[in-house]
Amino acid sequence: MALTAAPAEARQWPEGRRAAVVLTYDDALPSDLDIAIPALDAAGLKGTFFLIGNALLPEQIARWRAAAAEGHELGNHTIRHACPQTNYPPARKLDTSEAYDVPMMLAEIRTMNTMLTAIDGKLQHSFATPCGQHLAGGVDYLSELRASGLVRYTRSAGWPGGEDPMDVPCRWFDEKATGADMIAAVKSAEEAGDLLVLGFHGVGGDYLKVSAEAHAQLLAYLKDHSDTIWVAPFSTVMDYVTSHPEG
């Protein structure tokens, strides 16, 4: 995500840092609570966790509330995580985006916002599109979501992308990725003066995972370079980006 006013002039980040990195985690997975959050806390870093409503367990609520109280961001990833039919086996038609229409999707996002407020007490939440797409019944709902005011910022799953705060690109790494692979992406962002949003599902467990070791190596690098790299939750960074449109 090249957030520069001109190719030769890099964006200015807080306290003279050269780049911004956002660490995002999807789906309210057990490894978020058991591995990712403890690792972030140990490094003194804060992440953004996009929660799915129907993945939340009652016994986890206190832990998510505590994470939010410690400065981690809880974001909206809908209630049912409706994706295109091609992403699911035929038996899950109820959960496909084809089974929705735009009013249904916006109602679900509104309901998930209410659930998040009950956990963290905040009235505004960011959003991550399920499976990186914003379709409901084959209709793109992004413009209506934008007009609704339900969310200010939306993270997509595509990379690279543009500068729309309602469709922010995100870079992902697969199970074979090493800490060096992720650190190389950070170094590229630092050289360009860019924002880098990183996306994770499982960390050391669950699915679409990266190893706990690779994740820990990334966090160690970010901690060691905190004087040049700004690491903050998604909404915090996007607040800064939208209030400082200049490079």
Side-chain angles (χ1 to χ4, degrees):
M1 183 178 183
L3 293 166
T4 55
E9 185 179 0
R11 173 176 293 277
Q12 299 301 307
W13 296 102
E15 300 180 5
R17 292 180 175 93
R18 294 199 292 267
V21 173
V22 177
L23 304 166
T24 67
Y25 304 80
D26 286 15
D27 296 2
L29 299 176
S31 63
D32 290 343
L33 293 167
D34 295 338
I35 299 175
I37 289 176
L40 287 163
D41 288 342
L45 303 173
K46 304 302 177 185
T48 296
F49 294 83
F50 290 106
L51 308 186
I52 302 173
N54 69 358
L56 291 173
L57 300 176
E59 59 269 24
Q60 295 175 333
I61 299 301
R63 298 177 71 186
W64 285 117
R65 183 171 290 126
E70 290 297 319
H72 299 289
E73 178 183 10
L74 305 186
N76 188 326
H77 206 29
T78 73
I79 300 291
R80 301 187 65 85
H81 198 270
C83 288
Q85 177 69 60
T86 53
N87 290 71
Y88 289 139
R92 295 193 62 183
K93 290 182 180 179
L94 176 65
D95 292 338
T96 66
S97 59
E98 289 90 344
Y100 281 64
D101 60 23
V102 173
M104 288 171 59
M105 182 60 73
L106 266 60
E108 185 167 307
I109 294 168
R110 182 180 298 107
T111 301
M112 187 62 199
N113 275 345
T114 301
M115 185 180 296
L116 290 170
T117 298
I119 298 172
D120 64 14
K122 297 181 179 180
L123 298 179
Q124 189 76 36
H125 295 90
S126 58
F127 176 65
T129 53
C131 294
Q133 54 84 45
H134 31 83
L135 295 175
V139 177
D140 191 323
Y141 62 83
L142 194 59
S143 62
E144 293 200 36
L145 178 61
R146 190 192 309 271
S148 73
L150 288 171
V151 299
R152 286 185 298 167
Y153 309 124
T154 299
R155 195 216 66 197
S156 72
W159 182 269
E163 301 178 13
D164 184 353
M166 286 292 288
D167 198 15
V168 180
C170 180
R171 184 162 181 182
W172 302 80
F173 288 89
D174 61 23
E175 295 189 20
K176 297 179 181 178
T178 64
D181 293 331
M182 291 183 276
I183 291 168
V186 172
K187 288 181 177 178
S188 294
E190 189 174 5
E191 291 171 1
D194 282 355
L195 164 63
L196 174 65
V197 179
L198 292 173
F200 301 97
H201 286 90
V203 176
D206 299 313
Y207 51 80
L208 299 175
K209 62 183 179 291
V210 297
S211 72
E213 293 77 13
H215 181 258
Q217 289 166 10
L218 169 66
L219 299 190
Y221 180 86
L222 294 173
K223 178 181 179 180
D224 290 345
H225 293 80
S226 60
D227 57 333
T228 58
I229 302 169
W230 182 37
V231 180
F234 183 61
S235 289
T236 300
V237 173
M238 292 309 301
D239 281 345
Y240 181 87
V241 168
T242 55
S243 62
H244 294 75
E246 76 285 350

